[in-house]
Amino acid sequence: MADRELRRMHRAELIEIIYALKQSEDQLKAQNAALTAQLQDRQLRLEKAGSIAQAALELNNVFAAAQAAADDYLHSVQANLADTDAAAANTLSQARSEAKRILEQAQADADSLKAQTRQECSAMVEQAEQEVQQHWQTFDRKANALLDQYRSADSQPSEET
């Protein structure tokens, strides 16, 4: 537009043109900001593309370290398992030895009780035999005395005859 045309316009028309230009400027600024952001994003991507290879190498190192740590942990667990198995075997062996000792002690106690019981039974049988012998002797004396009385009563003349 020429200066003459602008001078002939009314104030409202000029304000509309200024308003439209301001909106266009704002749109262009927004578009410029978006394009600047895209450009920065692409630059970051290009920078990262170089560093992605570096990151991949670093990740490989991280994975290798993690694998080594996992292997160490596995070896540690296996060693602990072997120690636990050895301790369990030792405990089992001790328990078996203790059980054997207890059984032997119980057998010895049982044998001792058997022997003591046999002695007591023998003593009781001997005492019973002695008592039987004494009773037999007492019975034999009384029976002989009774027989002697019977014989002596039989050999006396009877008064009735």
Side-chain angles (χ1 to χ4, degrees), residues 14-122:
L14 289 172
I15 289 177
E16 279 182 31
I17 291 174
I18 291 173
Y19 181 72
L21 286 174
K22 182 65 175 164
Q23 283 181 341
S24 176
E25 180 188 7
D26 288 342
Q27 285 177 347
L28 289 174
K29 282 183 180 179
Q31 187 178 10
N32 187 15
L35 290 173
T36 303
Q38 284 179 353
L39 179 62
Q40 286 178 350
D41 185 47
R42 284 190 182 178
Q43 286 175 346
L44 281 175
R45 285 185 186 172
L46 287 175
E47 288 175 8
K48 286 183 180 179
S51 66
I52 285 177
Q54 181 70 24
L57 289 174
E58 289 177 12
L59 280 177
N60 284 338
N61 291 338
V62 168
F63 288 140
Q67 183 63 45
D71 291 342
D72 288 344
Y73 178 73
L74 182 60
H75 291 300
S76 172
V77 167
Q78 288 173 343
N80 284 340
L81 179 61
D83 291 345
T84 302
D85 286 346
N90 186 26
T91 302
L92 181 61
S93 174
Q94 288 176 351
R96 285 183 177 158
S97 296
E98 182 68 14
K100 184 178 179 182
R101 186 193 64 77
I102 289 170
L103 283 173
E104 288 172 353
Q105 180 66 36
Q107 187 64 44
D109 290 348
D111 290 344
S112 173
L113 284 173
K114 278 182 187 178
Q116 182 180 357
T117 303
R118 283 188 181 131
Q119 286 177 351
E120 289 174 1
C121 286
S122 294

Side-chain angles (χ1 to χ4, degrees), residues 127-144:
Q127 183 181 359
E129 286 176 353
Q130 287 175 0
E131 288 177 6
V132 164
Q133 187 68 28
Q134 286 174 359
H135 288 296
W136 183 253
Q137 288 173 357
T138 304
F139 171 76
D140 193 37
R141 272 194 319 257
K142 286 182 180 180
N144 284 333

